[in-house]
Amino acid sequence: MEKNSVSKATLGRLPHYLRFLRELPKGTDYVSSTTVARELGLGEVQVRKDLNAVCGKGKPKIGYKVFELIESLETFLGYSSMNSAVLVGAGRLGKALLEYDEFEHYGVKIAAAFDCNKQPVKFNNHEILPIDELEQFCKNRCVQIGIITVGEGSAQEVCDRMVESGITAIWNFAPCKLSVPQGVLVRHENLALSLAHLNNTLKNQIG
Amino acid sequence: MEKNSVSKATLGRLPHYLRFLRELPKGTDYVSSTTVARELGLGEVQVRKDLNAVCGKGKPKIGYKVFELIESLETFLGYSSMNSAVLVGAGRLGKALLEYDEFEHYGVKIAAAFDCNKQPVKFNNHEILPIDELEQFCKNRCVQIGIITVGEGSAQEVCDRMVESGITAIWNFAPCKLSVPQGVLVRHENLALSLAHLNNTLKNQIG
Protein backbone atom coordinates (compact mmCIF):
# COMPACT_ATOMS: atom_id res chain seq x y z
CA MET A 1 0.00 0.00 0.00
CA GLU A 2 1.48 3.29 -1.07
CA LYS A 3 0.45 6.16 1.06
CA ASN A 4 1.19 9.85 1.06
CA SER A 5 1.40 12.04 4.06
CA VAL A 6 -1.41 14.59 3.99
CA SER A 7 -1.82 17.90 5.78
CA LYS A 8 -3.69 18.18 9.06
CA ALA A 9 -6.40 20.16 7.26
CA THR A 10 -6.94 17.41 4.69
CA LEU A 11 -6.92 14.77 7.40
CA GLY A 12 -9.62 16.71 9.23
CA ARG A 13 -11.91 16.60 6.20
CA LEU A 14 -11.55 12.88 5.45
CA PRO A 15 -14.05 11.63 8.05
CA HIS A 16 -16.60 14.10 6.64
CA TYR A 17 -16.15 12.69 3.16
CA LEU A 18 -16.50 9.19 4.54
CA ARG A 19 -19.70 10.00 6.44
CA PHE A 20 -21.20 11.65 3.33
CA LEU A 21 -20.31 8.70 1.09
CA ARG A 22 -21.74 6.15 3.48
CA GLU A 23 -25.03 8.02 3.52
CA LEU A 24 -25.44 8.09 -0.27
CA PRO A 25 -28.54 6.26 -1.53
CA LYS A 26 -27.96 2.58 -2.20
CA GLY A 27 -26.97 1.90 -5.78
CA THR A 28 -24.99 5.11 -6.23
CA ASP A 29 -22.00 3.83 -8.17
CA TYR A 30 -20.13 7.03 -8.92
CA VAL A 31 -19.82 10.38 -7.24
CA SER A 32 -18.15 13.51 -8.60
CA SER A 33 -15.96 15.90 -6.67
CA THR A 34 -18.46 18.60 -7.69
CA THR A 35 -21.24 16.82 -5.84
CA VAL A 36 -19.13 16.17 -2.76
CA ALA A 37 -17.98 19.80 -2.70
CA ARG A 38 -21.50 21.17 -3.06
CA GLU A 39 -23.04 18.89 -0.44
CA LEU A 40 -20.32 19.57 2.13
CA GLY A 41 -19.94 23.27 1.37
CA LEU A 42 -16.29 22.96 0.38
CA GLY A 43 -14.28 24.17 -2.61
CA GLU A 44 -14.20 21.81 -5.55
CA VAL A 45 -10.45 22.11 -6.11
CA GLN A 46 -9.84 21.28 -2.47
CA VAL A 47 -12.10 18.23 -2.55
CA ARG A 48 -10.43 16.93 -5.69
CA LYS A 49 -6.98 17.46 -4.18
CA ASP A 50 -7.97 15.70 -0.95
CA LEU A 51 -9.55 12.71 -2.66
CA ASN A 52 -6.73 12.34 -5.18
CA ALA A 53 -4.23 12.19 -2.33
CA VAL A 54 -6.08 9.29 -0.77
CA CYS A 55 -7.25 7.21 -3.70
CA GLY A 56 -5.91 8.56 -6.97
CA LYS A 57 -7.77 10.44 -9.68
CA GLY A 58 -11.42 9.93 -10.49
CA LYS A 59 -12.64 9.31 -14.03
CA PRO A 60 -13.11 12.52 -16.05
CA LYS A 61 -16.79 13.58 -16.18
CA ILE A 62 -17.88 10.53 -14.13
CA GLY A 63 -16.04 10.85 -10.87
CA TYR A 64 -14.99 8.32 -8.26
CA LYS A 65 -16.29 4.80 -7.70
CA VAL A 66 -18.15 5.17 -4.40
CA PHE A 67 -17.22 1.72 -3.16
CA GLU A 68 -13.52 2.20 -3.88
CA LEU A 69 -13.49 5.68 -2.40
CA ILE A 70 -15.05 4.44 0.87
CA GLU A 71 -12.54 1.63 1.05
CA SER A 72 -9.57 3.93 0.39
CA LEU A 73 -10.75 6.42 3.01
CA GLU A 74 -11.25 3.66 5.59
CA THR A 75 -7.81 2.27 4.92
CA PHE A 76 -6.22 5.69 4.99
CA LEU A 77 -7.90 6.59 8.25
CA GLY A 78 -6.77 3.30 9.69
CA TYR A 79 -10.21 1.74 10.25
CA SER A 80 -8.91 -1.58 9.07
CA SER A 81 -5.82 -1.40 11.27
CA MET A 82 -6.73 0.56 14.37
CA ASN A 83 -3.61 1.72 16.19
CA SER A 84 -3.49 1.47 19.96
CA ALA A 85 -2.37 4.25 22.26
CA VAL A 86 -1.76 4.41 25.99
CA LEU A 87 -2.32 7.45 28.14
CA VAL A 88 -0.35 8.25 31.27
CA GLY A 89 -1.86 10.70 33.76
CA ALA A 90 -5.50 10.10 34.55
CA GLY A 91 -6.28 13.53 35.96
CA ARG A 92 -9.03 15.72 34.61
CA LEU A 93 -7.44 16.24 31.19
CA GLY A 94 -6.48 12.57 30.85
CA LYS A 95 -10.01 11.51 31.72
CA ALA A 96 -11.48 14.05 29.31
CA LEU A 97 -9.35 12.52 26.54
CA LEU A 98 -10.41 9.00 27.55
CA GLU A 99 -14.03 10.05 27.13
CA TYR A 100 -13.42 11.80 23.82
CA ASP A 101 -14.84 9.45 21.23
CA GLU A 102 -13.53 11.21 18.14
CA PHE A 103 -10.16 9.44 18.17
CA GLU A 104 -11.58 6.23 16.80
CA HIS A 105 -12.84 8.11 13.75
CA TYR A 106 -9.20 8.64 12.92
CA GLY A 107 -7.98 5.11 13.49
CA VAL A 108 -6.63 5.43 17.03
CA LYS A 109 -7.97 3.75 20.14
CA ILE A 110 -6.78 4.52 23.66
CA ALA A 111 -6.21 0.99 24.89
CA ALA A 112 -5.48 1.84 28.51
CA ALA A 113 -4.71 4.64 30.91
CA PHE A 114 -2.06 4.56 33.62
CA ASP A 115 -1.52 6.47 36.82
CA CYS A 116 0.21 6.05 40.15
CA ASN A 117 -2.60 3.96 41.70
CA LYS A 118 -1.38 0.63 43.08
CA GLN A 119 -4.43 -1.33 41.90
CA PRO A 120 -6.49 -1.09 38.68
CA VAL A 121 -9.32 1.45 38.97
CA LYS A 122 -12.50 1.47 36.87
CA PHE A 123 -13.43 4.65 35.04
CA ASN A 124 -16.55 4.42 32.86
CA ASN A 125 -15.64 1.91 30.15
CA HIS A 126 -11.94 2.26 30.80
CA GLU A 127 -9.50 0.92 33.30
CA ILE A 128 -6.77 2.96 34.90
CA LEU A 129 -3.82 0.66 35.50
CA PRO A 130 -0.84 1.04 37.83
CA ILE A 131 2.06 2.72 36.02
CA ASP A 132 4.30 -0.26 36.83
CA GLU A 133 2.30 -2.30 34.35
CA LEU A 134 3.00 0.11 31.50
CA GLU A 135 5.99 -1.67 30.01
CA GLN A 136 4.45 -5.13 30.01
CA PHE A 137 1.17 -3.82 28.60
CA CYS A 138 2.82 -1.96 25.73
CA LYS A 139 5.16 -4.81 24.83
CA ASN A 140 2.39 -7.41 24.85
CA ARG A 141 0.24 -5.32 22.55
CA CYS A 142 2.95 -3.61 20.47
CA VAL A 143 1.57 -0.20 21.44
CA GLN A 144 3.36 2.55 19.54
CA ILE A 145 1.60 5.71 20.67
CA GLY A 146 1.83 7.31 24.10
CA ILE A 147 -0.17 10.26 25.40
CA ILE A 148 1.33 12.25 28.28
CA THR A 149 -1.14 14.11 30.47
CA VAL A 150 0.87 14.32 33.67
CA GLY A 151 2.29 17.59 35.01
CA GLU A 152 5.52 19.22 33.93
CA GLY A 153 7.43 17.69 36.84
CA SER A 154 6.98 14.05 35.87
CA ALA A 155 6.63 14.32 32.09
CA GLN A 156 10.25 13.43 31.25
CA GLU A 157 10.19 10.39 33.52
CA VAL A 158 6.95 9.18 31.93
CA CYS A 159 8.42 9.83 28.49
CA ASP A 160 11.50 7.72 29.33
CA ARG A 161 9.33 4.86 30.54
CA MET A 162 7.26 5.05 27.36
CA VAL A 163 10.36 4.88 25.19
CA GLU A 164 11.60 1.89 27.19
CA SER A 165 8.23 0.26 26.59
CA GLY A 166 8.72 0.48 22.84
CA ILE A 167 6.61 3.55 22.14
CA THR A 168 7.75 5.50 19.10
CA ALA A 169 5.29 8.39 18.93
CA ILE A 170 4.44 10.67 21.84
CA TRP A 171 1.67 13.24 22.15
CA ASN A 172 2.68 15.51 24.99
CA PHE A 173 0.28 17.81 26.85
CA ALA A 174 2.78 18.78 29.58
CA PRO A 175 4.13 22.30 29.06
CA CYS A 176 7.78 21.26 28.71
CA LYS A 177 10.27 19.95 26.19
CA LEU A 178 11.03 16.23 26.17
CA SER A 179 14.32 14.56 25.30
CA VAL A 180 13.87 11.42 23.25
CA PRO A 181 16.22 9.15 21.32
CA GLN A 182 16.43 9.67 17.57
CA GLY A 183 13.55 8.05 15.76
CA VAL A 184 10.92 8.81 18.40
CA LEU A 185 8.32 11.33 17.25
CA VAL A 186 7.06 13.96 19.69
CA ARG A 187 4.09 16.28 19.17
CA HIS A 188 3.60 19.00 21.74
CA GLU A 189 0.06 20.09 22.35
CA ASN A 190 -0.08 23.61 23.69
CA LEU A 191 -3.74 24.29 24.30
CA ALA A 192 -3.01 27.81 25.43
CA LEU A 193 -1.63 28.61 22.02
CA SER A 194 -4.92 28.22 20.20
CA LEU A 195 -6.61 30.55 22.64
CA ALA A 196 -3.70 32.98 22.44
CA HIS A 197 -3.93 33.02 18.67
CA LEU A 198 -7.66 33.70 18.77
CA ASN A 199 -7.05 36.50 21.27
CA ASN A 200 -4.34 37.93 19.07
CA THR A 201 -6.54 37.88 15.97
CA LEU A 202 -9.32 39.56 17.92
CA LYS A 203 -7.04 42.32 19.14
CA ASN A 204 -5.74 42.97 15.64
CA GLN A 205 -9.27 43.23 14.29
CA ILE A 206 -10.19 45.82 16.86
CA GLY A 207 -6.92 47.72 17.19
CA MET B 1 0.03 50.94 19.06
CA GLU B 2 0.78 49.26 15.76
CA LYS B 3 0.71 45.52 15.91
CA ASN B 4 1.15 42.76 13.39
CA SER B 5 -0.52 39.43 13.40
CA VAL B 6 2.04 36.72 13.97
CA SER B 7 1.95 33.00 13.30
CA LYS B 8 0.99 30.49 15.97
CA ALA B 9 4.57 29.22 15.99
CA THR B 10 5.98 32.68 16.69
CA LEU B 11 3.36 33.29 19.34
CA GLY B 12 4.40 30.06 21.03
CA ARG B 13 8.00 31.25 21.31
CA LEU B 14 7.27 34.71 22.71
CA PRO B 15 6.78 33.64 26.36
CA HIS B 16 10.14 31.81 26.16
CA TYR B 17 11.89 34.99 25.00
CA LEU B 18 10.20 36.92 27.77
CA ARG B 19 11.23 34.44 30.46
CA PHE B 20 14.83 34.47 29.19
CA LEU B 21 15.02 38.26 29.11
CA ARG B 22 13.59 38.63 32.60
CA GLU B 23 16.26 36.29 33.92
CA LEU B 24 19.19 38.21 32.43
CA PRO B 25 21.64 39.57 35.01
CA LYS B 26 20.75 43.04 36.29
CA GLY B 27 22.40 45.79 34.30
CA THR B 28 22.25 43.97 30.96
CA ASP B 29 21.25 46.82 28.66
CA TYR B 30 21.39 45.15 25.27
CA VAL B 31 20.93 41.62 24.01
CA SER B 32 21.60 40.30 20.52
CA SER B 33 19.46 37.87 18.58
CA THR B 34 22.56 35.65 18.41
CA THR B 35 22.65 35.37 22.19
CA VAL B 36 18.92 34.72 22.47
CA ALA B 37 19.10 32.08 19.72
CA ARG B 38 22.07 30.30 21.31
CA GLU B 39 20.64 30.28 24.82
CA LEU B 40 17.24 29.02 23.73
CA GLY B 41 18.53 26.58 21.11
CA LEU B 42 16.70 28.28 18.26
CA GLY B 43 17.76 29.47 14.80
CA GLU B 44 19.12 33.01 14.67
CA VAL B 45 17.10 34.02 11.61
CA GLN B 46 13.95 32.81 13.30
CA VAL B 47 14.66 34.71 16.52
CA ARG B 48 15.38 37.90 14.60
CA LYS B 49 12.18 37.52 12.58
CA ASP B 50 10.12 36.89 15.73
CA LEU B 51 11.54 39.81 17.66
CA ASN B 52 11.31 42.20 14.72
CA ALA B 53 7.63 41.38 14.33
CA VAL B 54 6.98 42.36 17.93
CA CYS B 55 9.24 45.34 18.54
CA GLY B 56 11.01 46.40 15.36
CA LYS B 57 14.61 45.94 14.40
CA GLY B 58 17.48 45.88 16.88
CA LYS B 59 20.58 48.02 16.43
CA PRO B 60 23.16 46.44 14.09
CA LYS B 61 25.97 44.75 16.04
CA ILE B 62 24.46 45.78 19.40
CA GLY B 63 21.06 44.18 19.44
CA TYR B 64 17.87 45.04 21.26
CA LYS B 65 17.40 47.21 24.33
CA VAL B 66 16.43 44.61 26.96
CA PHE B 67 14.03 46.94 28.75
CA GLU B 68 12.19 47.88 25.56
CA LEU B 69 12.08 44.30 24.35
CA ILE B 70 10.51 43.09 27.61
CA GLU B 71 7.94 45.87 27.46
CA SER B 72 7.07 45.12 23.83
CA LEU B 73 6.69 41.41 24.52
CA GLU B 74 4.49 42.06 27.54
CA THR B 75 2.29 44.42 25.57
CA PHE B 76 2.11 42.04 22.64
CA LEU B 77 1.19 39.10 24.84
CA GLY B 78 -1.46 41.22 26.50
CA TYR B 79 0.01 41.26 30.02
CA SER B 80 -0.90 44.89 30.36
CA SER B 81 -4.44 44.33 29.10
CA MET B 82 -5.48 40.82 30.08
CA ASN B 83 -8.51 39.71 28.05
CA SER B 84 -11.32 37.88 29.80
CA ALA B 85 -12.93 34.70 28.53
CA VAL B 86 -15.93 32.70 29.69
CA LEU B 87 -16.27 28.97 29.40
CA VAL B 88 -19.57 27.14 28.96
CA GLY B 89 -19.68 23.45 29.83
CA ALA B 90 -18.02 22.53 33.10
CA GLY B 91 -17.59 18.82 32.41
CA ARG B 92 -14.25 17.09 32.56
CA LEU B 93 -12.73 18.95 29.60
CA GLY B 94 -14.09 22.30 30.78
CA LYS B 95 -12.68 21.75 34.24
CA ALA B 96 -9.34 20.65 32.82
CA LEU B 97 -9.18 23.94 30.90
CA LEU B 98 -10.14 25.91 34.01
CA GLU B 99 -7.21 24.34 35.82
CA TYR B 100 -4.79 24.92 32.93
CA ASP B 101 -2.66 27.83 34.07
CA GLU B 102 -0.85 28.47 30.80
CA PHE B 103 -3.55 30.75 29.39
CA GLU B 104 -2.52 33.69 31.53
CA HIS B 105 0.97 33.54 30.02
CA TYR B 106 -0.68 34.52 26.79
CA GLY B 107 -2.83 37.35 28.10
CA VAL B 108 -6.13 35.51 28.55
CA LYS B 109 -7.91 34.78 31.81
CA ILE B 110 -10.97 32.56 32.14
CA ALA B 111 -13.16 34.86 34.21
CA ALA B 112 -15.96 32.38 34.86
CA ALA B 113 -17.41 29.05 33.86
CA PHE B 114 -21.09 28.35 33.26
CA ASP B 115 -23.18 25.22 33.27
CA CYS B 116 -26.79 24.19 33.78
CA ASN B 117 -26.60 24.25 37.60
CA LYS B 118 -29.26 26.49 39.20
CA GLN B 119 -26.93 27.87 41.88
CA PRO B 120 -23.26 28.91 41.75
CA VAL B 121 -20.94 25.98 42.50
CA LYS B 122 -17.36 26.29 43.78
CA PHE B 123 -14.62 24.49 41.88
CA ASN B 124 -11.10 25.04 43.22
CA ASN B 125 -10.44 28.75 42.74
CA HIS B 126 -13.23 29.09 40.23
CA GLU B 127 -16.95 29.46 40.35
CA ILE B 128 -19.34 27.67 38.03
CA LEU B 129 -22.29 29.95 37.48
CA PRO B 130 -25.79 29.15 36.19
CA ILE B 131 -25.96 29.59 32.42
CA ASP B 132 -28.81 32.10 32.83
CA GLU B 133 -26.29 34.56 34.23
CA LEU B 134 -24.09 34.38 31.13
CA GLU B 135 -25.48 37.39 29.30
CA GLN B 136 -25.38 39.74 32.28
CA PHE B 137 -21.90 38.60 33.26
CA CYS B 138 -20.45 39.13 29.78
CA LYS B 139 -22.11 42.48 29.27
CA ASN B 140 -21.01 43.81 32.66
CA ARG B 141 -17.41 42.84 32.02
CA CYS B 142 -17.28 43.34 28.22
CA VAL B 143 -16.14 39.73 27.79
CA GLN B 144 -15.24 39.06 24.16
CA ILE B 145 -14.03 35.47 24.20
CA GLY B 146 -16.17 32.39 24.71
CA ILE B 147 -14.99 28.79 25.10
CA ILE B 148 -17.48 26.03 24.25
CA THR B 149 -16.90 22.71 25.99
CA VAL B 150 -20.43 21.31 25.87
CA GLY B 151 -21.43 18.37 23.70
CA GLU B 152 -22.35 18.51 20.04
CA GLY B 153 -26.08 18.66 20.84
CA SER B 154 -26.05 21.96 22.70
CA ALA B 155 -23.08 23.72 21.09
CA GLN B 156 -25.09 25.84 18.64
CA GLU B 157 -27.48 26.99 21.37
CA VAL B 158 -24.55 27.97 23.59
CA CYS B 159 -22.91 29.72 20.65
CA ASP B 160 -26.08 31.76 19.99
CA ARG B 161 -26.28 32.80 23.63
CA MET B 162 -22.62 33.83 23.56
CA VAL B 163 -23.16 35.97 20.48
CA GLU B 164 -26.20 37.58 22.12
CA SER B 165 -24.01 38.32 25.13
CA GLY B 166 -21.61 40.34 22.97
CA ILE B 167 -18.93 37.69 22.50
CA THR B 168 -17.01 38.10 19.25
CA ALA B 169 -14.50 35.25 19.36
CA ILE B 170 -15.39 31.63 20.03
CA TRP B 171 -13.10 28.68 20.74
CA ASN B 172 -15.16 25.58 20.05
CA PHE B 173 -14.30 22.10 21.34
CA ALA B 174 -17.59 20.52 20.27
CA PRO B 175 -17.19 18.36 17.16
CA CYS B 176 -19.59 20.34 14.99
CA LYS B 177 -19.77 23.42 12.79
CA LEU B 178 -21.26 26.58 14.28
CA SER B 179 -23.25 29.26 12.46
CA VAL B 180 -22.35 32.75 13.56
CA PRO B 181 -23.12 36.22 12.26
CA GLN B 182 -20.46 37.92 10.14
CA GLY B 183 -17.72 39.43 12.26
CA VAL B 184 -17.69 36.70 14.88
CA LEU B 185 -14.51 34.62 14.84
CA VAL B 186 -14.71 30.87 15.41
CA ARG B 187 -11.78 28.54 16.01
CA HIS B 188 -12.54 24.84 16.05
CA GLU B 189 -10.36 22.71 18.24
CA ASN B 190 -10.28 19.14 17.04
CA LEU B 191 -8.14 17.30 19.55
CA ALA B 192 -8.47 14.07 17.61
CA LEU B 193 -6.75 15.68 14.66
CA SER B 194 -3.41 16.08 16.38
CA LEU B 195 -3.42 12.45 17.39
CA ALA B 196 -4.55 11.42 13.93
CA HIS B 197 -1.73 13.37 12.36
CA LEU B 198 0.81 11.78 14.67
CA ASN B 199 -0.61 8.36 13.84
CA ASN B 200 -0.46 9.14 10.14
CA THR B 201 3.18 10.27 10.33
CA LEU B 202 4.04 7.13 12.27
CA LYS B 203 2.41 4.88 9.69
CA ASN B 204 4.22 6.62 6.85
CA GLN B 205 7.55 6.21 8.58
CA ILE B 206 7.01 2.52 9.00
CA GLY B 207 5.09 1.72 5.82
Side-chain angles (χ1 to χ4, degrees):
Chain A
M1 182 184 61
E2 208 188 332
K3 216 166 77 171
N4 300 316
S5 196
V6 300
S7 73
K8 236 169 136 173
T10 295
L11 198 54
R13 287 186 290 270
L14 300 186
H16 298 286
Y17 297 137
L18 188 55
R19 197 174 313 149
F20 168 71
L21 294 167
R22 283 176 174 162
E23 285 169 2
L24 283 173
K26 270 207 168 162
T28 313
D29 289 333
Y30 285 91
V31 67
S32 69
S33 49
T34 320
T35 308
V36 178
R38 193 188 52 229
E39 293 298 320
L40 295 178
L42 296 167
E44 208 181 315
V45 177
Q46 192 174 61
V47 170
R48 204 156 34 231
K49 220 177 122 196
D50 289 349
L51 296 181
N52 290 355
V54 173
C55 69
K57 288 192 176 174
K59 279 191 189 167
K61 304 208 176 173
I62 298 179
Y64 303 84
K65 247 193 179 146
V66 173
F67 165 75
E68 283 179 12
L69 198 47
I70 290 181
E71 218 174 54
S72 302
L73 284 165
E74 285 180 342
T75 306
F76 196 94
L77 287 168
Y79 283 32
S80 43
S81 58
M82 199 67 95
N83 237 338
S84 288
V86 290
L87 179 148
V88 177
R92 242 176 276 277
L93 179 61
K95 281 181 178 153
L97 292 178
L98 276 178
E99 280 186 329
Y100 199 68
D101 55 6
E102 290 292 304
F103 297 130
E104 297 195 15
H105 295 157
Y106 292 90
V108 184
K109 190 181 157 54
I110 302 182
F114 295 84
D115 210 318
C116 49
N117 38 296
K118 294 270 173 240
Q119 295 295 324
V121 177
K122 276 263 170 211
F123 167 70
N124 295 346
N125 296 319
H126 301 273
E127 216 175 17
I128 299 162
L129 302 172
I131 181 75
D132 286 339
E133 295 179 17
L134 178 72
E135 195 166 341
Q136 203 56 47
F137 186 94
C138 292
K139 287 187 173 164
N140 286 348
R141 286 166 181 81
C142 299
V143 176
Q144 292 180 305
I145 301 176
I147 306 172
I148 299 182
T149 45
V150 297
E152 198 175 341
S154 25
Q156 184 62 52
E157 193 198 324
V158 167
C159 170
D160 294 343
R161 291 184 84 152
M162 283 183 169
V163 172
E164 273 167 39
S165 309
I167 279 173
T168 51
I170 292 174
W171 191 25
N172 176 36
F173 282 84
C176 59
K177 280 197 177 182
L178 296 175
S179 321
V180 290
Q182 228 190 342
V184 176
L185 293 168
V186 178
R187 285 271 186 288
H188 288 278
E189 188 73 43
N190 184 345
L191 283 174
L193 215 48
S194 294
L195 184 56
H197 201 238
L198 183 63
N199 187 32
N200 197 244
T201 313
L202 186 68
K203 283 189 175 175
N204 283 315
Q205 270 193 347
I206 298 165
Chain B
M1 182 182 61
E2 208 186 330
K3 216 165 77 171
N4 301 315
S5 196
V6 301
S7 73
K8 236 168 134 173
T10 295
L11 199 55
R13 287 187 291 269
L14 300 186
H16 297 287
Y17 298 137
L18 188 56
R19 198 175 311 147
F20 168 72
L21 293 168
R22 283 176 175 163
E23 285 168 3
L24 282 174
K26 270 207 169 164
T28 313
D29 288 332
Y30 284 90
V31 69
S32 69
S33 49
T34 320
T35 308
V36 178
R38 193 187 54 229
E39 295 297 321
L40 295 178
L42 296 168
E44 207 182 314
V45 176
Q46 192 174 60
V47 169
R48 202 153 38 228
K49 221 177 120 196
D50 289 349
L51 296 181
N52 289 355
V54 173
C55 69
K57 288 191 175 173
K59 280 192 188 166
K61 304 208 175 173
I62 298 179
Y64 302 84
K65 247 190 177 148
V66 174
F67 166 76
E68 282 179 12
L69 198 47
I70 291 182
E71 218 174 54
S72 301
L73 284 165
E74 286 180 342
T75 306
F76 196 93
L77 286 167
Y79 283 33
S80 44
S81 58
M82 199 66 94
N83 236 338
S84 288
V86 289
L87 180 147
V88 178
R92 242 176 276 277
L93 178 61
K95 282 181 179 153
L97 292 179
L98 276 178
E99 280 185 328
Y100 199 68
D101 54 7
E102 289 294 302
F103 296 130
E104 297 196 16
H105 295 158
Y106 293 90
V108 184
K109 190 181 159 53
I110 302 182
F114 295 84
D115 211 317
C116 49
N117 40 294
K118 294 272 173 235
Q119 294 294 325
V121 177
K122 277 262 170 212
F123 167 69
N124 294 346
N125 295 319
H126 301 271
E127 216 176 16
I128 299 161
L129 302 173
I131 181 75
D132 286 339
E133 295 179 18
L134 177 72
E135 194 167 340
Q136 201 58 46
F137 186 94
C138 292
K139 286 188 174 165
N140 285 348
R141 286 165 180 83
C142 299
V143 175
Q144 291 179 306
I145 301 175
I147 305 171
I148 299 182
T149 45
V150 297
E152 198 176 344
S154 26
Q156 184 62 53
E157 192 198 323
V158 166
C159 170
D160 294 343
R161 291 184 83 152
M162 283 184 169
V163 172
E164 274 167 39
S165 309
I167 280 173
T168 51
I170 292 173
W171 192 25
N172 177 35
F173 282 83
C176 59
K177 279 198 177 182
L178 297 174
S179 319
V180 291
Q182 229 191 342
V184 176
L185 292 167
V186 178
R187 285 272 186 289
H188 289 277
E189 189 74 42
N190 184 345
L191 284 174
L193 215 47
S194 294
L195 184 57
H197 201 239
L198 182 63
N199 188 33
N200 197 244
T201 312
L202 186 69
K203 283 188 175 175
N204 282 316
Q205 269 193 347
I206 299 164

